[in-house]
Amino acid sequence: MNRGDRMDETIYVIRHCEAEGQAADAPLTERGWLQAKELAGFLSERKVDRIISSPFLRAIQSIKPFADIKNLEIEQEERLTERVLSSTFFSDWMDKLKATYDELDLKYEGGETSNEAMNRIISVVEDIVESHATHTVIVAHGGIISLLLHYYDQSFGFEQWKELSNPDVYELNISDQATRYTRLWDNR
């Protein structure tokens, strides 16, 4: 993540608002649209140069009111899609998911490991750092966001994933000296 010059990046990491389901084309609920408007107001005074979103409809709809206020394009990025646990249905999926936080290379049929998903979202952050945008919003999903935060803080795991809200906002500050994150939103 070196550009050769002084680095000071702020990335707002946003989990989408309440949606009607988990499918890629699942829209926001009526409550989710109200949350998206509240989120736009919450972010409106912050400096933002760029918005990058998962292509899933719920992520795009969550940031659209803010993008409209700031007159910014929403860039869609496949690497921000939700982590795929498995192509097989598990009645005990919560236990299976917890196990992937304990063993980051655990892989179920048709899914990706925590490390694979983490590397995907970290590559987005690395690309942002290499760009000249200093204030970026990324919009994604709870599982992949929890892995991003785990990358910077090993204590962020399954229990913290369960505590994420819809929406949720973290500020990730990356400098030459350190990378820190702060939770800005908590609507539980």
Side-chain angles (χ1 to χ4, degrees):
M1 281 200 230
N2 278 337
R3 285 192 306 210
D5 56 331
R6 190 170 182 282
M7 177 175 47
D8 194 11
E9 307 282 336
T10 300
I11 301 172
Y12 298 103
V13 181
I14 300 174
R15 184 184 191 193
H16 64 81
C17 301
E18 184 181 274
E20 291 184 9
Q22 298 299 312
D25 62 350
L28 294 182
T29 62
E30 186 175 322
R31 180 172 182 246
W33 277 109
L34 293 173
Q35 292 170 335
K37 289 177 186 169
E38 185 180 353
L39 180 63
F42 176 79
L43 294 170
S44 66
E45 298 302 314
R46 298 182 189 276
K47 182 176 181 347
V48 173
D49 307 311
R50 187 176 180 198
I51 299 171
I52 307 170
S53 176
S54 160
F56 286 14
L57 182 59
R58 61 188 177 274
I60 293 167
Q61 288 179 336
S62 293
I63 202 62
K64 182 149 180 32
F66 175 72
D68 289 348
I69 289 170
K70 292 289 190 174
N71 197 28
L72 288 171
E73 171 191 352
I74 301 172
E75 302 170 43
Q76 295 184 36
E77 174 56 66
E78 286 290 329
R79 293 175 292 172
L80 294 176
T81 60
E82 183 58 290
R83 176 244 184 113
V84 176
L85 182 62
S86 176
S87 60
T88 305
F89 172 77
F90 295 124
S91 59
D92 62 342
W93 70 270
M94 193 77 92
D95 292 333
K96 300 280 195 225
L97 179 63
K98 182 181 185 313
T100 67
Y101 283 90
D102 297 332
E103 188 181 330
L104 298 178
D105 287 317
L106 178 60
K107 188 171 196 162
Y108 300 112
E109 183 181 337
E112 61 186 328
T113 69
S114 292
N115 273 329
E116 290 168 339
M118 188 182 335
N119 289 337
R120 205 167 25 90
I121 194 166
I122 291 301
S123 70
V124 173
V125 170
E126 289 172 346
D127 287 352
I128 291 168
V129 169
E130 293 297 322
S131 76
H132 294 290
T134 56
H135 297 84
T136 303
V137 165
I138 62 174
V139 187
H141 309 272
I144 194 94
I145 288 171
S146 71
L147 293 169
L148 171 67
L149 298 175
H150 177 80
Y151 179 81
Y152 295 110
D153 175 2
Q154 304 276 309
S155 70
F156 199 104
F158 178 75
E159 292 303 320
Q160 292 72 26
W161 165 79
K162 287 179 13 182
E163 296 297 319
L164 292 173
S165 61
N166 290 95
D168 217 329
V169 181
Y170 283 82
E171 180 179 87
L172 184 63
N173 296 103
I174 302 171
S175 71
D176 291 329
Q177 292 77 35
T179 300
R180 295 181 188 87
Y181 69 84
T182 307
R183 189 178 197 181
L184 301 180
W185 183 281
D186 188 354
N187 69 346
R188 291 173 290 146

